[in-house]
Amino acid sequence: MTNGEKKDHKIWIISLFPDFFKAFLETGLSGRALKGERESGLSVHLVQLRDYSSNSYKGVDDAPYGGGPGMVMRPDTLQAALINGVVGPGGYGPDWKEKLHVVFPGPRGRVWNQKNCQEFSQSAWGKNGHGKDLVFICGRYEGIDERFIQKYVDEQLSLGDYVLTGGELAVMAIIDSAIRFKPGVLGNRESFQKESFQGGLLEHPQYTRPRLFEGLEVPEVLLSGNHKKIEEFERFESIRVTQAERPDLLEDL
Ligand code: ADE
């Protein structure tokens, strides 16, 4: 399916802590875009995992088979949240697997960077992408039962080689960075074309008023009005900063 003809894209988030997302969904650029403003065509739907527990004490996890520390999230509760909290209310019908892309953030996933962020954004919301609505599963405790991943997860994504206490922060980082590539979200600004990692380099340093700050001047060339010279300077600075801070990026060019 292409989504050229489809305007609205839903993002579902299954979490034990939906409150985590409050500020994110209400504040700043991400908040406006995710409320469907700025012609983003996006909306976010939070699903409380605990509501789909099958036991009287509302448990969603259990001890791991084989022993070991911590608890594991039960596959049946996750499945119930997906089917009854997303597929049902979203009206996706029996062929819902064709209409939803299920993402599970965790340390085992593909490591997130600006390149695969752009690809992810284009495949979800771009003209020739899969165009499916997104479902994010936020893990907690020691992880989630492997069989849920096997049956229902389409893609695993990692923020980096460290362990978070839960997937919520990862989901916010993934959504926040991905929506910036969706037309309409940043408006007409070309911001992301010049920012860090586009073209494989870090962005050049930026300056604003005052011209003199604690003995440091704004570089003269930026005040010259000579656009060619400014462009050359910024390109040079971009390479200099990348060389100094992230020389590994230059190796990949
Ligand atoms: N959940 C726990 N650790 C994570 C990581 N590194 N990336 C994404 N989600 C996670």
Side-chain angles (χ1 to χ4, degrees):
M1 176 181 38
T2 64
N3 67 3
E5 67 281 1
K6 191 180 162 197
K7 272 213 174 104
D8 295 318
H9 299 276
K10 293 191 176 68
I11 301 173
W12 300 83
I13 301 171
I14 299 178
S15 166
L16 281 169
F17 300 102
D19 282 357
F20 249 97
F21 295 92
K22 263 192 189 153
F24 177 58
L25 297 177
E26 280 165 15
T27 319
L29 194 70
S30 61
R32 291 206 298 279
L34 295 166
K35 272 189 264 182
E37 292 174 25
R38 305 184 68 95
E39 296 170 34
S40 73
L42 296 168
S43 61
V44 173
H45 307 262
L46 295 165
V47 177
Q48 168 55 271
L49 178 62
R50 211 171 282 291
D51 293 346
Y52 300 90
S53 166
S54 57
N55 53 41
S56 54
Y57 57 91
K58 293 273 169 213
V60 297
D61 57 338
D62 216 321
Y65 278 116
M71 301 289 266
V72 177
M73 290 170 83
R74 293 174 56 120
D76 51 351
T77 315
L78 288 162
Q79 187 259 17
L82 179 60
I83 303 300
N84 302 324
V86 176
V87 175
Y92 293 100
D95 59 343
W96 63 269
K97 284 196 179 182
E98 309 301 313
K99 300 175 186 162
L100 292 173
H101 184 71
V102 180
V103 182
F104 172 52
R108 203 208 269 182
R110 186 161 63 113
V111 178
W112 195 240
N113 60 30
Q114 188 78 338
K115 184 166 174 283
N116 57 43
C117 170
Q118 186 165 15
E119 284 164 12
F120 180 91
S121 180
Q122 279 166 353
S123 66
W125 307 311
K127 272 208 180 87
N128 300 311
H130 59 64
K132 298 178 183 181
D133 285 347
L134 300 173
V135 185
F136 288 92
I137 311 287
C138 299
R140 283 267 150 184
Y141 313 119
E142 287 306 303
I144 74 177
D145 189 291
E146 187 66 22
R147 294 163 297 174
F148 180 81
I149 299 176
Q150 274 176 352
K151 285 273 181 188
Y152 295 108
V153 170
D154 296 306
E155 183 169 19
Q156 298 187 66
L157 294 171
S158 170
L159 282 199
D161 295 340
Y162 47 84
V163 181
L164 299 165
T165 54
E168 285 80 4
L169 283 172
V171 169
M172 284 187 261
I174 291 166
I175 295 174
D176 186 89
S177 50
I179 59 174
R180 306 180 76 253
F181 288 107
K182 187 176 189 309
V185 169
L186 291 182
N188 289 329
R189 293 160 53 207
E190 50 159 6
S191 338
F192 73 75
Q193 287 163 21
K194 273 186 79 182
E195 71 196 1
S196 286
F197 308 111
Q198 296 305 121
L201 297 173
L202 296 178
E203 191 177 11
H204 57 78
Q206 303 269 16
Y207 301 89
T208 184
R209 290 193 174 84
R211 271 178 71 166
L212 181 63
F213 172 70
E214 297 192 359
L216 298 176
E217 295 263 12
V218 171
E220 196 67 37
V221 59
L222 298 179
L223 312 170
S224 69
N226 183 331
H227 296 295
K228 191 163 175 288
K229 278 230 162 87
I230 291 173
E231 219 171 273
E232 279 168 12
F233 175 75
E234 290 182 341
R235 173 87 187 152
F236 177 86
E237 284 290 281
S238 183
I239 295 168
R240 182 186 65 76
V241 170
T242 310
Q243 177 79 64
E245 309 291 344
R246 291 289 308 276
D248 57 300
L249 293 176
L250 295 172
E251 284 162 25
D252 296 338
L253 283 184

